[in-house]
Amino acid sequence: MTDTALPPAPGSTGPRPVRAATGAVAVTIACVLPVFLLGGLAVQISEDLGFSPAGLGLAVSVYFGVSALASVPSGVLVERHAPAAVARAGILLSAACLLAVAAARSYPVLLGLLALAGTANALGQLASNATLARHVPARRQGLSFGVKQAAIPVATLLAGAAVPTVALTAGWRWAFVAAAGAALAALPAVPTREPRPARTAAPTRAGRVTAALVVVGAAGTFAAAAANALGTFVVDSSADRGLSPGLAGLTLTLGSAVCVAARVSVGWLADRRATGHVALVAGMLVVGAAGLGLLAVAGSVPLVTGVLLGFGLGWAWPGLMTFAVVRLHPQAPAAATSITQTGVYAGGCLGPLGLGAVAAHAGYQAMWIVAAGSMLLAAALMLTGSRMLAHR
C-alpha cells in the first residue's frame, strides 16, 4: 500500500487531512450523543417517563441493535454517494432525535427515537471512516482513527458534565435541546465539497475476504459485549464491593480518561507498524481479559489494576481494528468496515442484556469472569481472522 490516502476523483478537490480528521471527530460525537446523554441523564429522565434500570438497558440495546442492522446499508450508501452527504444526514437525524426526546412524554416514544438515533449513529460512523480513508495519508491513518474512536468516551464525559450544568438547573429536556444545538454545530465541520467516490467492487463480492471480515466482526461482538460491561457496570460493581458512591464514580472517570489516552496512543503506535494490526488487537484483548478477571478479585489494588487494563487495552482496540480493515480495503472502506462495525454494535446490544442477567442471578464476581471469557474468545477469533486476511 502506498503512503497516501485514496485520492479524490480527478479534477476535484477534497478537504485537507486535518480538516477531514476534525470533521470525522465532530460527526462521530454528534451522532453518538443521544445514547450517552440518555445514560448520563437516566435518573432525571426515568422519573419523568417512568422506566426502571431494566428499561434503560433495553433502550441502549435497541440503539445498538438498530446500529448493527443499519451498518451494512449505511456502508453501501457511503460507497454510492459522497461521505459528506451521508455525514450531514447522520448529524441532522441525530439532532432531530435529540429535539424529539426533549419533547417525549412516554417510554415507548423514547424507544422509537433511540432506534432512529441508532440509524444516525451508523450513518455517521461509516461516513467518518470513509472520509479518513480518502483524505488522511496512510502514514497518519492509525492516529486519525484512534482520535476518532477516542471521541466516543469524550462524548461520555460530555454527557456526565451535562448533569450538573444543565439537567439539575434547567431540567433534562433543555439538556437535550442544548445537545441538539451542539450536534448541528458539527455541520460546518463537514466538507462542503467532496467528490463522489468511484464505484468499485465492494469487499462483500469476494467470498474469502468477506468470510475473514465476518470472523473479525464476530470477534468484535464478543469483545464489545465484554468491554461495554465496563462502562455499564463498573460503578455499581465498585459500590457493591463497599466503595462510596463518589469513589465508585471516580473509577468510571479514571477508566474513561485511560480509554481516551489509550485509543490515541494505540493509533499513533499503529502508524509505526506495517502489518500485524489485527493480531495486535488480539493481544490487547488477552490483556484486557486479564483486567476483567481482576475485577472479580476483592480489594482496591485488583480493582484499580483491572480498570486500567480493562479500559486501557480491553476497550482501546476499536480504532485499531477499523484502521486495519481500512488499510486492507482502501478502495471500499465504508463497505468493509460496515461488516466489522455490525459485530461491534451487536456486542453493544447483547452485552448489557446478557451480562446484566448474569449479574442479577449470580453476582458481579461471576459476571466479570464471564466477561473475561468472552474477551478471550474474541481474541481467539481475532487471531483466526488475522490469519485469514493474511492468506487472502
Side-chain angles (χ1 to χ4, degrees):
M1 181 173 175
T2 62
D3 198 36
T4 57
L6 182 65
S12 62
T13 59
R16 294 183 176 182
V18 173
R19 184 181 179 188
T22 302
V25 170
V27 171
T28 299
I29 293 177
C31 292
V32 301
L33 269 178
V35 70
F36 289 113
L37 198 60
L38 173 67
L41 304 179
V43 174
Q44 292 79 19
I45 299 173
S46 62
E47 290 177 354
D48 272 5
L49 302 187
F51 59 87
S52 65
L56 173 63
L58 176 60
V60 174
S61 294
V62 165
Y63 174 88
F64 284 111
V66 172
S67 292
L69 294 175
S71 186
V72 171
S74 297
V76 173
L77 283 176
V78 174
E79 298 296 349
R80 290 182 178 178
H81 306 281
V86 179
R88 282 192 288 270
I91 291 173
L92 291 172
L93 182 56
S94 179
C97 290
L98 287 165
L99 285 174
V101 169
R105 299 295 174 182
S106 68
Y107 177 69
V109 171
L110 178 67
L111 282 182
L113 293 173
L114 262 291
L116 284 176
T119 302
N121 179 38
L123 292 171
Q125 288 281 354
L126 274 299
S128 297
N129 290 347
T131 296
L132 293 178
R134 287 175 58 82
H135 299 294
V136 175
R139 66 182 184 275
R140 293 289 181 267
Q141 283 185 2
L143 177 60
S144 68
F145 278 107
V147 172
K148 169 186 170 288
Q149 293 300 133
I152 297 176
V154 168
T156 306
L157 295 178
L158 291 176
V163 177
T165 56
V166 182
L168 297 182
T169 55
W172 69 265
R173 296 182 186 276
W174 284 108
F176 274 85
V177 172
L184 291 174
L187 283 173
V190 180
T192 55
R193 291 183 60 193
E194 183 171 298
R196 179 176 295 185
R199 291 181 181 271
T200 57
T204 51
R205 297 179 184 176
R208 185 179 298 180
V209 176
T210 302
L213 292 175
V214 169
V215 171
V216 173
T221 299
F222 287 102
N228 267 296
L230 287 164
T232 305
F233 300 111
V234 73
V235 172
D236 196 49
S237 172
S238 299
D240 189 62
R241 294 166 68 163
L243 268 69
S244 67
L247 287 177
L250 283 177
T251 60
L252 180 58
T253 302
L254 172 65
S256 298
V258 169
C259 189
V260 170
R263 291 187 178 196
V264 175
S265 300
V266 167
W268 179 79
L269 290 172
D271 287 328
R272 282 143 184 81
R273 291 175 60 96
T275 59
H277 298 101
V278 179
L280 179 59
V281 172
M284 294 171 62
L285 291 175
V286 170
V287 180
L292 292 177
L294 284 173
L295 294 177
V297 180
S300 58
V301 173
L303 173 65
V304 173
T305 306
V307 167
L308 291 175
L309 294 178
F311 275 101
L313 290 173
W315 206 198
W317 50 267
L320 179 58
M321 185 188 74
T322 303
F323 163 66
V325 173
V326 167
R327 192 177 180 91
L328 290 166
H329 304 283
Q331 300 299 324
T337 55
S338 70
I339 297 173
T340 54
Q341 202 69 48
T342 297
V344 174
Y345 289 144
C349 171
L350 300 174
L353 291 177
L355 292 174
V358 173
H361 291 89
Y364 278 118
Q365 184 179 30
M367 188 208 74
W368 290 123
I369 293 173
V370 172
S374 177
M375 193 163 282
L376 284 176
L377 177 58
L381 287 171
M382 200 69 74
L383 277 177
T384 302
S386 175
R387 293 192 184 98
M388 293 172 68
L389 288 169
H391 291 89
R392 73 185 180 93

